[in-house]
């Protein structure tokens, strides 16, 4: 392959095609016609000697070669864009940029409504794509350009990442309104004896909330019983509402579902540390005007949420 035949236009087409996995959506994202994008895909296939996108029963999927190329090309384009836009102010009112955010489910539930409400008012052309990150790969996602922001709880974030606290989250205990024993308050004995709905982000790893609970119980010389292991902390609220299980969740989530599901929201029977939401970003986006603007808007949304809570 002779790289001199690949211009920036084709490289942007490549990353967009791999990201979207769909020619029509890729064309819309780049503001071009579907035939033009199809022609670009054909030229890329010829120049790179690879089909790049292959059709399956579930739609078009990128080849291994396409994924490898797109990751490297994305980083290169980011550097070019940052170099060209370093001093240019970001015009949120006319921009059609899409931000890539990695955020846990509970974080998205708490913060994304407030963020989107602000974006729709001040930057109607701006969009965000949010995905749940793998905890072990959060730094890699920022470094490789698959996310510009990670919004989550990272107890041991890499020292070379920038970070900013967004929201302090107190933990509370939830129980069904008609729980057979828990009524308006809960003792440590009850907390340890009644089974818990446990939020897990994998076969064996509990989420940050559960880690905080287990550490608090260990300090108190106690332990708990788990009656259900769930992959969604939001599902925990529904499970608790219809059973005798308990759960420990961030207060924002508990208060939201308390009335509709009939939940008791109780102070924990032992001291627990906060599970705070912060945002993390890489040096490569630190000075980018659009990214700086997004971080500022997210901070404002979090401050408004904190003050109203």
């Amino acid at each position: 392959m002779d790289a001199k035949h690949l211009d920036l236009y084709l490289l942007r087409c490549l990353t967009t095609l791999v990201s979207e996995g769909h020619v029509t959506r890729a064309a819309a994202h780049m503001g071009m016609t579907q035939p033009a994008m199809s022609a670009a895909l054909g030229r890329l296939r010829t120049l790179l000697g690879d089909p790049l996108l292959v059709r399956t029963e579930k739609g078009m999927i990128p080849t291994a070669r396409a994924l490898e190329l797109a990751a490297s090309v994305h980083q290169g384009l980011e550097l070019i864009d940052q170099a060209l836009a370093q001093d240019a102010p970001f015009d949120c009112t006319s921009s059609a940029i899409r931000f890539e955010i990695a955020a846990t489910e509970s974080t998205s539930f708490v913060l994304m409504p407030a963020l989107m409400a602000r974006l729709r008012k001040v930057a109607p052309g701006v969009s965000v794509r949010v995905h749940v990150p793998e905890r072990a790969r959060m730094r890699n996602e920022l470094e490789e350009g698959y996310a510009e922001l990670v919004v989550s709880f990272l107890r041991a974030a890499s020292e070379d990442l920038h970070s900013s606290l967004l929201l302090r989250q107190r933990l509370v205990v939830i129980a069904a309104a008609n729980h057979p024993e828990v009524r308006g308050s809960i003792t440590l004995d009850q907390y340890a004896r009644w089974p818990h709905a446990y939020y897990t982000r994998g076969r064996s790893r509990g989420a940050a909330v559960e880690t905080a609970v287990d550490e608090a119980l260990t300090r108190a010389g106690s332990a708990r019983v788990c009656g259900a292991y769930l992959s969604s902390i939001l599902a925990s609220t529904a499970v608790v509402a219809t059973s005798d299980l308990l759960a420990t969740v961030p207060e924002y989530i508990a208060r939201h579902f308390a009335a509709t599901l009939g939940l008791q929201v109780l102070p924990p029977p032992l001291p627990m540390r906060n599970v705070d939401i912060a945002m993390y970003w890489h040096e490569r986006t630190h000075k980018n005007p659009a990214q700086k603007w997004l971080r500022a808007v997210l901070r404002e949304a979090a401050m408004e949420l904190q003050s109203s809570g």
Side-chain angles (χ1 to χ4, degrees):
M1 180 195 73
D2 191 345
K4 69 182 180 182
H5 295 296
L6 283 168
D7 55 25
L8 286 178
Y9 165 79
L10 281 177
L11 292 176
R12 293 189 190 280
C13 287
L14 172 63
T15 59
T16 307
L17 284 163
V18 171
S19 173
E20 297 291 348
H22 194 281
V23 173
T24 302
R25 288 199 301 267
H29 181 74
M30 289 196 62
M32 55 196 292
T33 65
Q34 189 272 341
M37 182 59 78
S38 293
L41 175 58
R43 190 175 175 202
L44 283 164
R45 283 169 167 167
T46 300
L47 291 171
L48 298 173
D50 187 274
L52 301 176
L53 291 177
V54 295
R55 193 174 301 280
T56 69
E57 292 181 354
K58 296 182 179 181
M60 302 287 280
I61 62 171
T63 64
R65 176 63 171 155
L67 290 171
E68 178 186 358
L69 285 169
S72 298
V73 168
H74 183 82
Q75 292 183 57
L77 291 174
E78 286 268 334
L79 290 173
I80 293 172
D81 289 341
Q82 289 176 36
L84 295 176
Q86 199 68 260
D87 299 320
F90 176 66
D91 183 3
C92 65
T93 60
S94 62
S95 177
I97 192 173
R98 182 176 68 195
F99 294 108
E100 300 283 344
I101 301 176
T104 57
E105 178 196 39
S106 59
T107 297
S108 293
F109 181 82
V110 172
L111 274 176
M112 288 305 131
L115 174 63
M116 289 309 303
R118 283 180 170 268
L119 291 183
R120 296 307 300 160
K121 287 180 180 178
V122 302
V126 169
S127 62
V128 298
R129 178 158 61 180
V130 182
H131 68 273
V132 177
E134 296 179 38
R135 186 186 298 181
R137 281 192 48 80
M138 284 184 178
R139 182 185 182 281
N140 301 79
E141 292 207 9
L142 292 171
E143 190 174 64
E144 296 168 9
Y146 290 110
E148 289 123 0
L149 271 184
V150 167
V151 185
S152 179
F153 170 83
L154 290 184
R155 192 171 185 186
S158 177
E159 292 183 359
D160 62 349
L161 294 180
H162 297 274
S163 65
S164 177
L165 177 65
L166 291 173
L167 204 60
R168 302 216 79 102
Q169 294 192 107
R170 291 186 299 177
L171 294 180
V172 295
V173 181
I174 55 174
N178 60 350
H179 192 279
E181 184 178 342
V182 175
R183 291 283 194 276
S185 63
I186 187 168
T187 66
L188 180 57
D189 174 69
Q190 292 170 328
Y191 188 72
R193 184 160 37 86
W194 286 97
H196 287 235
Y198 186 96
Y199 172 36
T200 177
R201 295 184 60 200
R203 287 186 173 273
S204 59
R205 175 174 291 183
V209 168
E210 308 302 351
T211 301
V213 171
D214 288 333
E215 289 176 348
L217 285 166
T218 298
R219 289 193 298 270
S222 185
R224 60 177 166 165
V225 177
C226 292
Y229 293 86
L230 304 170
S231 61
S232 166
I233 197 169
L234 303 185
S236 298
T237 61
V239 168
V240 167
T242 56
S243 70
D244 60 1
L245 271 64
L246 306 173
T248 308
V249 300
E251 188 173 14
Y252 286 94
I253 293 176
R255 298 293 180 195
H256 182 87
F257 289 106
T260 54
L261 293 179
L263 294 171
Q264 300 182 66
V265 180
L266 312 168
L270 70 173
M272 292 186 187
R273 62 182 174 83
N274 293 329
V275 177
D276 297 331
I277 297 175
M279 59 179 168
Y280 305 83
W281 65 96
H282 196 269
E283 176 63 28
R284 67 182 186 81
T285 60
H286 183 57
K287 295 182 179 179
N288 180 273
Q291 297 298 325
K292 290 170 69 175
W293 175 84
L294 174 65
R295 295 194 295 267
V297 173
L298 193 51
R299 284 191 194 95
E300 291 168 2
M303 288 176 61
E304 184 177 326
L305 193 61
Q306 189 88 67
S307 62
S308 65

